[in-house]
Amino acid sequence: QSALTQPASVSGSPGQSITISCTGSSGDVGDYDYVSWYQQHPGKAPTLMIYDVSNRPSGVSNRFSGSKSGNTASLTISGLQAEDEADYYCSSYTSDSTLVVFGGGTKLTVL
Amino acid sequence: EVRLVQSGAELKKPGESLKISCKGSGYSFTSHWIGWVRQMPGKGLEWMGIIHPEDSETRYSPSFQGQVTISAAKSISTAYLQWSSLKAPDTAMYYCARLTDAPFPNVDYWGQGTLVTVSS
């Protein structure tokens, strides 16, 4: 299974909103509502921000939201803050034997 | 509280063997797949393979088949990733990750990472 496709980078100013896309295909994003998003700060392990397309784990700011249309899932961060600057990865359940496929990652820069 | 605690950083020479570990706690270790993820310096996350600790069923991503071995010891709630002969390109951060026990699992918890450096 090929990796999911994310933009290499996005940027926004404090207070603005940005959206990161994650494009897959049938067999993963297109067929299942089991897309997750992770935030990774430099030198740190990833942490779960969104699961099952649009659900937030306890403790995650409601500035983070997720959605999906067809083969593309999206992560939206509203009211950008400096602390949001990080790498973001999507993942999806896949019908492939290894069960999970990741996106290539997106670097978010807060200007 | 769910925790995945990985073994410490390793500095190895090319050709040496290595086994790193990931100990789960705070949940039923045998109810969830565990996956291993490679992150090479400055690069993205690569899904290496998974193991189910209940029966040690193991599945590898094509790029890692034959390159590493994933195993588990359910009696001590620990998963392992091992190499028989390390190469310089194996230098990377390695994360273990827990998959949910849903019918269509995905990653929810991560270990803190183990840095493996291979250098002569």
Side-chain angles (χ1 to χ4, degrees):
Chain A
Q1 196 77 9
S2 299
L4 307 176
T5 300
Q6 298 181 232
S9 63
V10 299
S11 62
S13 300
Q16 288 185 332
S17 294
I18 63 94
T19 296
I20 299 171
S21 61
C22 169
T23 301
S25 61
S26 60
D28 47 63
V29 176
D31 286 345
Y32 303 98
D33 290 335
Y34 296 96
V35 176
S36 295
W37 290 90
Y38 311 91
Q39 178 189 66
Q40 186 181 36
H41 285 112
K44 300 294 188 182
T47 58
L48 181 66
M49 305 301 285
I50 295 287
Y51 67 96
D52 296 352
V53 172
S54 59
N55 295 298
R56 279 187 309 275
S58 173
V60 172
S61 170
N62 60 10
R63 297 185 299 104
F64 291 83
S65 62
S67 62
K68 194 190 92 165
S69 177
N71 291 340
T72 299
S74 299
L75 172 70
T76 298
I77 309 174
S78 59
L80 269 180
Q81 299 179 0
E83 68 208 48
D84 299 331
E85 186 163 292
D87 294 325
Y88 291 85
Y89 295 89
C90 62
S91 75
S92 173
Y93 170 80
T94 171
S95 56
D96 191 61
S97 65
T98 53
L99 302 182
V100 173
V101 60
F102 278 93
T106 298
K107 180 176 180 58
L108 169 62
T109 301
V110 180
L111 301 170
Chain B
E1 177 195 8
V2 174
R3 294 191 73 197
L4 297 173
V5 178
Q6 297 184 229
S7 49
E10 301 276 1
L11 175 59
K12 291 291 193 178
K13 291 181 167 49
E16 292 186 331
S17 62
L18 176 63
K19 191 173 189 177
I20 63 175
S21 67
C22 168
K23 183 174 177 61
S25 63
Y27 73 99
S28 174
F29 188 72
T30 54
S31 297
H32 296 254
W33 292 89
I34 290 283
W36 285 95
V37 177
R38 182 175 77 178
Q39 187 169 38
M40 300 177 77
K43 301 299 183 183
L45 305 175
E46 298 176 89
W47 192 241
M48 301 175 70
I50 57 174
I51 187 165
H52 201 291
E54 175 61 41
D55 59 5
S56 288
E57 178 183 352
T58 309
R59 305 173 184 180
Y60 295 92
S61 296
S63 298
F64 294 95
Q65 180 79 48
Q67 307 304 307
V68 296
T69 300
I70 295 171
S71 60
K74 65 180 180 180
S75 63
I76 55 172
S77 301
T78 301
Y80 301 97
L81 178 66
Q82 69 181 89
W83 296 260
S84 59
S85 181
L86 285 160
K87 309 176 185 64
D90 293 319
T91 294
M93 182 70 81
Y94 293 88
Y95 294 100
C96 64
R98 189 188 84 158
L99 277 66
T100 59
D101 63 355
F104 303 99
N106 207 338
V107 173
D108 55 1
Y109 288 92
W110 296 76
Q112 84 277 16
T114 296
L115 180 63
V116 174
T117 304
V118 184
S119 175
S120 55

